[in-house]
Amino acid sequence: MGQGGEPRRAQAYDGELGAAVTRAQDGDEAAFAVAYRIVQPGLLGYLRGIVGDDAEDVASDAWLEIARDLGRFKGDGAGFRGWTATIARHRALDHLRRLRVRPRSAVLDQDVVLDLAGPHSTHDEALESLSTGHALELVRGLPRDQAEAVLLRVVVGLDGPAAARVLGKRPGAVRTAAHRGLKRLARQLGAAGAGEGVTDGGPRTLGEST
């Protein structure tokens, strides 16, 4: 699996995002709104992969912390994307601990993910071409470590090392999880293109092992 860069959509916005964050740190509220607009869709999609329908509440808590600690952030647009994902993940895990439930199914936003890949997708194409529908069922079927690695790469737009920092794991472990998840997604996309079912049973929730 190629690890040579972020999904193209994230890259396109990171220059604008970095500039907005710099202005926001100087007190420009409009610039903070720009940063929010760029980051929130992916962040919300990722959170929906962890906490399901409670994603918007968790995102609100995360943004309160992001706004409070904005002055402490140092880095560029890509770094800000990773920093906000880390905060959001911590808030999501706190939320799950309070509820004492396992992570629920992902519901990915159509406006933050791309078109579904064809049946002969490579791993990289699967990485950059997930969408709702078939992909939702596929991501639900992945073990949690693989699902989070894929969601951070595709929905949030992080590169491999940044995703590893968010998850608090070694880059190699996250790279392996993403590789396995994407290999499985590509294989299942191929099966779907051949007329086979993409799942072997009812929908599974994110976090269950297979």
Side-chain angles (χ1 to χ4, degrees):
M1 182 187 75
Q3 298 289 333
E6 300 167 322
R8 288 186 296 269
R9 184 171 292 190
Q11 288 181 326
Y13 287 120
D14 279 342
E16 179 185 358
L17 176 58
V21 170
T22 298
R23 296 196 306 273
Q25 288 178 315
D26 291 333
D28 187 334
E29 294 183 3
F32 185 82
V34 170
Y36 175 88
R37 174 182 57 79
I38 294 172
V39 172
Q40 171 68 353
L43 205 64
L44 189 60
Y46 170 64
L47 288 171
R48 283 179 172 162
I50 304 177
V51 301
D53 292 339
D54 295 331
E56 291 192 9
D57 290 339
V58 174
S60 294
D61 291 341
W63 278 105
L64 287 174
E65 183 172 343
I66 291 165
R68 183 193 70 197
D69 295 341
L70 183 62
R72 301 178 185 177
F73 170 74
K74 294 181 180 180
D76 57 10
F80 185 76
R81 200 182 297 277
W83 182 66
T84 55
T86 300
I87 291 173
R89 185 172 190 267
H90 289 165
R91 298 291 69 76
L93 295 179
D94 288 345
H95 178 77
L96 292 174
R97 281 191 287 266
R98 287 195 298 269
L99 293 181
R100 294 182 179 276
V101 297
R102 300 185 71 182
R104 284 172 281 178
S105 300
V107 182
L108 306 184
D109 283 340
Q110 291 186 1
D111 60 349
V112 300
V113 287
L114 309 182
D115 294 331
L116 191 65
H120 303 294
S121 302
T122 64
H123 301 162
D124 289 337
E125 288 170 339
L127 173 68
E128 295 193 29
S129 61
L130 291 177
S131 74
T132 54
H134 289 308
L136 173 58
E137 295 303 318
L138 297 177
V139 173
R140 281 176 175 168
L142 295 176
R144 183 178 174 185
D145 62 334
Q146 296 178 19
E148 279 207 84
V150 171
L151 287 169
L152 285 170
R153 293 296 310 277
V154 178
V155 181
V156 181
L158 302 183
D159 62 15
R165 288 192 292 272
V166 171
L167 296 173
K169 297 182 178 181
R170 294 177 181 271
V174 175
R175 184 165 54 248
T176 297
H179 173 81
R180 289 175 176 171
L182 292 169
K183 182 177 180 181
R184 185 170 183 173
L185 290 174
R187 183 171 64 247
Q188 291 177 326
L189 286 168
E196 302 175 17
V198 296
T199 58
D200 54 7
R204 292 185 290 265
T205 57
L206 182 64
E208 290 183 345
S209 297
T210 56

